[in-house]
Amino acid sequence: MGCLGNLLWFLLGGCLGGIAWCLAGCLWCVTIIGIPVGMQCFKFAGLSFFPFGKEVVYGGHTGSLLLNIIWLIVSGIPLAVGFAIVGIILCITIIGIPFGMQHFKLAKLALMPFGSEVH
């Protein structure tokens, strides 16, 4: 399912989502203060292009906790809610369940991107 799922995901919107995240990351990285946020946008881009077969490992330290709290307040909650809503809609059909599960993976990453790694 991984190869076929990634191909379908990429063709049906993953390409546009990944490019959008890359552009957002580039815009954030223009300023020195925005580089940490830009790096998280690149993490989302990598997962948005091909999410099947990738796992997100959560970890970190105190610095990432503080950055996650700021991220959560500024943009994490709306992103997570958006991904969760699309995931729920996709899970209504049997065919959409694998894609809905990938949206739930993105929703969880949207809540805690700092200190996490995509493998």
Side-chain angles (χ1 to χ4, degrees):
M1 179 63 191
C3 185
L4 179 62
N6 278 330
L7 180 64
L8 287 172
W9 180 277
F10 186 78
L11 294 176
L12 298 175
C15 178
L16 294 176
I19 290 172
W21 279 111
C22 284
L23 291 175
C26 289
L27 288 174
W28 275 106
C29 286
V30 170
T31 64
I32 293 174
I33 295 172
I35 290 176
V37 176
M39 297 307 290
Q40 300 314 308
C41 290
F42 293 134
K43 189 183 298 183
F44 274 105
L47 196 59
S48 291
F49 280 126
F50 302 108
F52 287 91
K54 293 186 181 176
E55 294 296 322
V56 180
V57 178
Y58 297 96
H61 46 75
T62 307
S64 63
L65 175 67
L66 295 174
L67 289 171
N68 277 329
I69 291 171
I70 294 170
W71 172 273
L72 191 65
I73 294 169
V74 175
S75 61
I77 292 175
L79 278 173
V81 168
F83 283 128
I85 289 172
V86 173
I88 290 169
I89 292 170
L90 286 170
C91 284
I92 290 173
T93 64
I94 293 174
I95 295 172
I97 290 174
F99 299 99
M101 298 307 290
Q102 300 310 311
H103 277 281
F104 294 141
K105 185 189 309 183
L106 287 166
K108 187 174 177 184
L109 183 63
L111 291 175
M112 301 176 294
F114 292 95
S116 62
E117 295 180 17
V118 178
H119 294 281

